[in-house]
Amino acid sequence: MPFLRTFPTRAADAAGPSPSTYGLLLLSVAASMCVQSLTDVWLHTSVVQWLAPLSMLGGAVYFNTRPVSRRRFGAVLALLAVLIIQLPTTSALAYGVQAFGLPLRDDWFIGIDRAFGFDWLTFQTSMVERRGLMEILSRAYETFFPQLGLTPVLLAALGEVRRSDRFVASFILCVTMTTIISAVLPAEGAAGLLGPDEAHLLFQGATPLVDLHALRDGTMRALPLNEVGPLISFPSLHCAVAYLVTAAIWPLQRLRWVVLLLNAVMTVSAVTHGAHYACDCVAGLLVAAISFHLAGQLGPWSEGMVARMRGVAVLPAATAPTVLTR
């Protein structure tokens, strides 16, 4: 197929997650355990929920001993396992840090939006009347997890394992940064603007205010993983993932514009269906851009460091051909 031939498999590009990606995952898990210990807020997971990522990691080890084509499959399994482990880790961090109970900053974010001429209630009221458009936005909002899972698989399947690894590493960096920011600048999000008479304006991704306030006043200290909600208001994680997916897929010329359009719609849906302030979305895009850049630096650096520790020669980066002029 011409599309597949555009991205041939490379033997050196089928190893899987880089050392920096594994390191970021371990740091994130350690941070979540520390936060949960400090706040005594625990997310309960069952053994069954850990079987999938552990089985994937075992499969990755097996396939990495096989020929190159099978090692690529092992890389996909390892990257997906890292993502699956990171998701509950993120939830544990997001819930744990809210127990610190720092002052809510919704007034700041509302003020920033209004300074730029944006009012969430006015915007949402006008959007609710456009049922067809709201249905499209709802569908785009729900692509968050499918995009998150399919992007590393697609990139690795096309031989771009290093870029797939960069996407996973940037996601770990991004969710860690957004969690830290949400701890320092907690907020209810636009859900806090609504009273019972305007509840019809709210959609599926709003901050669960009952959970948020229970964490802040100390009445919630444990809950099952399957009952967690989208607790991070500022910055918007939906917008961050929209940026990361688009940036990761951008080299695939036949997909870039489709993905860009989808994620532009998902960014808008973070306001309409995620009950985010506009400044939440801008902050999410900025954090994602920083994370994607840092991940692009960390991956090659960590691989080079490991190669030097093993005494393996590291090839210099290819240089551009010299152009002679008269």
Side-chain angles (χ1 to χ4, degrees):
M1 295 176 63
F3 181 71
L4 293 177
R5 287 200 297 270
T6 307
F7 296 91
T9 307
R10 295 189 290 274
D13 200 22
S18 62
S20 62
T21 300
Y22 282 126
L24 288 170
L25 178 64
L26 290 174
L27 286 174
S28 182
V29 171
S32 72
M33 296 299 294
C34 289
V35 168
Q36 288 182 102
S37 299
L38 286 171
T39 62
D40 203 30
V41 175
W42 295 93
L43 296 189
H44 296 309
T45 58
S46 66
V47 175
V48 175
Q49 289 172 314
W50 291 103
L51 285 178
L54 293 176
S55 299
M56 286 179 173
L57 288 174
V61 172
Y62 170 77
F63 283 112
N64 279 336
T65 64
R66 306 292 99 186
V68 171
S69 60
R70 295 187 181 181
R71 290 208 301 271
R72 183 172 55 171
F73 187 65
V76 172
L77 287 177
L79 288 164
L80 283 178
V82 169
L83 268 181
I84 292 172
I85 293 171
Q86 181 59 43
L87 288 173
T89 301
T90 301
S91 297
L93 276 170
Y95 269 68
V97 297
Q98 294 307 318
F100 294 138
L102 295 180
L104 294 172
R105 298 301 184 185
D106 289 84
D107 54 339
W108 288 12
F109 305 137
I110 293 170
I112 293 171
D113 276 8
R114 289 178 178 170
F116 287 92
F118 181 84
D119 182 82
W120 186 88
L121 274 176
T122 303
F123 176 76
Q124 189 77 342
T125 301
S126 66
M127 290 296 291
V128 166
E129 298 173 356
R130 298 170 170 83
R131 294 186 179 180
L133 179 56
M134 289 298 281
E135 181 63 23
I136 293 172
L137 289 167
S138 176
R139 298 299 182 189
Y141 189 84
E142 292 171 352
T143 65
F144 177 89
F145 286 110
Q147 288 198 70
L148 188 60
L150 289 175
T151 297
V153 174
L154 176 63
L155 289 170
L158 296 176
E160 294 292 315
V161 178
R162 291 279 62 80
R163 196 163 188 87
S164 180
D165 170 68
R166 181 179 180 181
F167 171 77
V168 173
S170 63
F171 175 73
I172 298 173
L173 275 171
C174 186
V175 295
T176 303
M177 291 170 65
T178 55
T179 303
I180 293 171
I181 294 170
S182 72
V184 178
L185 299 172
E188 292 180 332
L193 300 175
L194 302 177
D197 296 335
E198 296 175 313
H200 66 286
L201 298 178
L202 196 58
F203 293 92
Q204 67 257 37
T207 300
L209 297 182
V210 173
D211 287 1
L212 177 64
H213 291 293
L215 288 166
R216 291 174 60 81
D217 63 25
T219 57
M220 177 183 285
R221 284 296 177 259
L223 74 161
L225 178 62
N226 57 4
E227 294 183 10
V228 301
L231 208 62
I232 299 175
S233 178
F234 178 88
S236 167
L237 195 52
H238 258 74
C239 293
V241 168
Y243 180 95
L244 294 178
V245 171
T246 304
I249 294 294
W250 194 253
L252 309 184
Q253 295 184 8
R254 299 192 181 188
L255 288 178
R256 64 169 58 163
W257 299 114
V258 175
V259 172
L260 177 62
L261 177 60
L262 171 61
N263 284 308
V265 177
M266 189 166 84
T267 299
V268 177
S269 76
V271 177
T272 58
H273 289 72
H276 281 287
Y277 305 117
C279 61
D280 294 351
C281 299
V282 175
L285 295 171
L286 179 60
V287 170
I290 294 171
S291 299
F292 195 74
H293 173 74
L294 290 176
Q297 304 298 313
L298 284 174
W301 172 80
S302 66
E303 290 178 331
M305 182 180 67
V306 170
R308 287 190 292 271
M309 290 173 63
R310 292 177 176 175
V312 178
V314 180
L315 295 176
T319 57
T322 303
V323 179
L324 299 177
T325 58
R326 295 182 179 181

